[in-house]
């Protein structure tokens, strides 16, 4: 099977959960060697994905407050590159808690989500506009100042088309925000084949930070910033930090003090890319 990024030949790296994981012989990209399409998207992101544990979220809705804060955190990071909030598209929005965090920070946002129930929930409970669908298949004349993909890039069945679509949906100096897993991280190396992200068929692409940046340059993006999201912190700690930063806010009461937020560790990274002028 050819590499979904550069179309070169690939060879078997190892098998995980009965699926073959291949490495590209040219660019080194690792991917699940299955022919996936829109049907795959609707099968994998069924309601079970969001509530059944396993490869998806153990209980996505219960994590709502934390995800909202995550959206606010990223809105703050993006403000360094674009001080004025604008129009954004959040790809793989689920019920939209992260998107809500951006909107609370001044952005005008639309979500894109393949799971109909999630999209409906976001519209009803959070008052959001969430389109049902995937980036590979979206058809719109809208243009955005920011496209965000928080833990989504690893799930694209056709990453080249998805990122080309993201580029085309952006205005000339538009930004692309990505948070995804780094297969060259220490954890990934230590756990080897047992690294948690090697969980096909929902996870199809295994990026490294460098590999993703190199690939995105071929699509028309340049990296302008990045880092690692914060580590695990207790709700109490989160509250006091937030109180210090944003002052007393009714939202803070929503954070359960005793729970340690499962903030992902060093194998996750975020990066901001700017669409190159053509
Ligand atoms: Zn390749």
């Amino acid at each position: 099977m050819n590499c979904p990024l550069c179309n070169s030949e690939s060879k078997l790296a190892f098998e995980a959960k009965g699926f073959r994981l291949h490495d590209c012989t040219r660019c080194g990209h690792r991917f699940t060697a299955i022919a996936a399409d829109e049907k795959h998207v609707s099968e994998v992101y069924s309601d079970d994905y969001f509530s059944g544990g396993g490869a998806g979220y153990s209980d996505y809705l219960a994590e709502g407050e934390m995800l909202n804060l995550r959206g606010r955190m990223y809105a703050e990071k993006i403000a360094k590159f674009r001080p004025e909030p604008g129009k954004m598209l959040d790809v793989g929005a689920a019920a939209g808690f992260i998107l809500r965090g951006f909107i609370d920070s001044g952005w005008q946002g639309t979500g894109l989500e393949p799971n109909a129930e999630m999209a409906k929930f976001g519209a009803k409970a959070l008052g959001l506009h969430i389109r049902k669908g995937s980036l590979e298949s979206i058809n719109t004349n809208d243009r955005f100042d920011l496209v965000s993909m928080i833990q989504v890039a690893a799930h694209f069945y056709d990453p080249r088309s998805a990122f080309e679509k993201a580029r085309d949906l952006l205005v000339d100096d538009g930004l692309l925000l990505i948070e995804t897993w780094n297969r060259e991280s220490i954890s990934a190396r230590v756990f080897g084949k047992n690294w948690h992200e090697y969980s096909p068929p929902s996870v199809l692409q295994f990026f490294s930070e460098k590999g993703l940046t190199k690939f995105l340059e071929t699509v028309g993006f340049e990296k302008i910033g990045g880092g690692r999201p914060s580590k695990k912190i207790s709700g109490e700690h989160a509250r006091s930090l937030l109180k210090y930063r944003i002052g007393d806010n009714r939202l803070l009461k929503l954070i359960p003090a005793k729970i340690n937020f499962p903030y992902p560790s060093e194998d996750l990274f975020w990066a901001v890319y700017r669409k190159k002028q053509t």
Side-chain angles (χ1 to χ4, degrees):
M1 195 177 168
N2 286 4
C3 170
L5 302 189
C6 76
N7 204 31
S8 300
E9 284 177 15
S10 66
K11 58 177 190 340
L12 178 71
F14 56 88
E15 287 192 10
K17 299 185 162 72
F19 291 87
R20 294 161 66 91
L21 270 52
H22 279 214
D23 284 347
C24 173
T25 53
R26 185 161 161 258
C27 76
H29 181 59
R30 180 168 291 168
F31 58 96
T32 304
I34 54 168
D37 53 17
E38 282 301 307
K39 195 165 159 271
H40 171 86
V41 174
S42 51
E43 281 167 7
V44 169
Y45 304 102
S46 66
D47 296 345
D48 282 354
Y49 180 80
F50 293 99
S51 59
Y57 289 91
S58 52
D59 195 352
Y60 173 80
L61 297 179
E63 293 184 9
E65 293 87 23
M66 193 194 80
L67 293 168
N68 183 291
L69 290 170
R70 182 92 138 257
R72 288 166 181 247
M73 173 194 85
Y74 277 123
E76 218 173 278
K77 290 191 191 300
I78 290 294
K80 289 193 195 122
F81 308 103
R82 193 196 146 89
E84 284 297 305
K87 254 178 86 178
M88 71 176 289
L89 178 71
D90 186 38
V91 178
F97 288 109
I98 291 177
L99 175 62
R100 186 73 245 176
F102 272 95
I103 291 173
D104 293 344
S105 309
W107 284 83
Q108 276 176 278
T110 300
L112 184 63
E113 168 55 39
N115 182 285
E117 284 305 308
M118 281 287 148
K120 245 190 267 169
F121 177 91
K124 229 174 137 182
L126 304 174
L128 299 170
H129 178 224
I130 301 180
R131 294 172 65 122
K132 186 187 172 300
S134 70
L135 190 55
E136 289 97 325
S137 69
I138 189 180
N139 194 0
T140 174
N141 291 323
D142 291 345
R143 290 296 172 268
F144 302 91
D145 302 297
L146 170 69
V147 170
S148 56
M149 304 174 177
I150 308 299
Q151 294 188 30
V152 171
H155 302 284
F156 290 136
Y157 64 82
D158 183 353
R160 180 164 278 279
S161 321
F163 286 112
E164 283 172 356
K165 186 58 81 72
R167 176 200 63 205
D168 295 344
L169 290 173
L170 283 168
V171 298
D172 273 351
D173 57 349
L175 303 179
L176 172 64
L177 167 67
I178 297 174
E179 181 193 278
T180 193
W181 304 92
N182 184 4
R183 79 161 222 257
E184 282 176 358
S185 61
I186 297 163
S187 324
R189 286 169 196 268
V190 167
F191 287 104
K193 294 176 189 176
N194 297 315
W195 184 43
H196 61 87
E197 271 299 278
Y198 290 135
S199 54
S202 81
V203 186
L204 298 172
Q205 316 299 332
F206 309 97
F207 292 104
S208 67
E209 197 173 350
K210 279 186 201 141
L212 179 63
T213 298
K214 219 170 139 191
F215 163 64
L216 285 177
E217 278 167 9
T218 72
V219 180
F221 287 103
E222 57 180 339
K223 187 176 171 187
I224 56 171
R228 281 185 201 149
S230 14
K231 300 213 167 171
K232 195 164 174 178
I233 50 172
S234 72
E236 209 159 20
H237 185 195
R239 264 194 215 169
S240 66
L241 283 177
L242 282 162
K243 200 167 170 183
Y244 176 74
R245 287 179 65 173
I246 63 175
D248 222 347
N249 185 302
R250 65 187 168 80
L251 196 88
L252 297 179
K253 288 197 204 77
L254 297 172
I255 305 172
K258 299 283 177 224
I259 292 175
N260 279 330
F261 290 140
Y263 250 92
S265 55
E266 61 83 40
D267 53 355
L268 196 63
F269 68 94
W270 64 273
V272 181
Y273 298 87
R274 179 173 279 141
K275 180 173 167 175
K276 279 190 259 184
Q277 308 291 324
T278 45

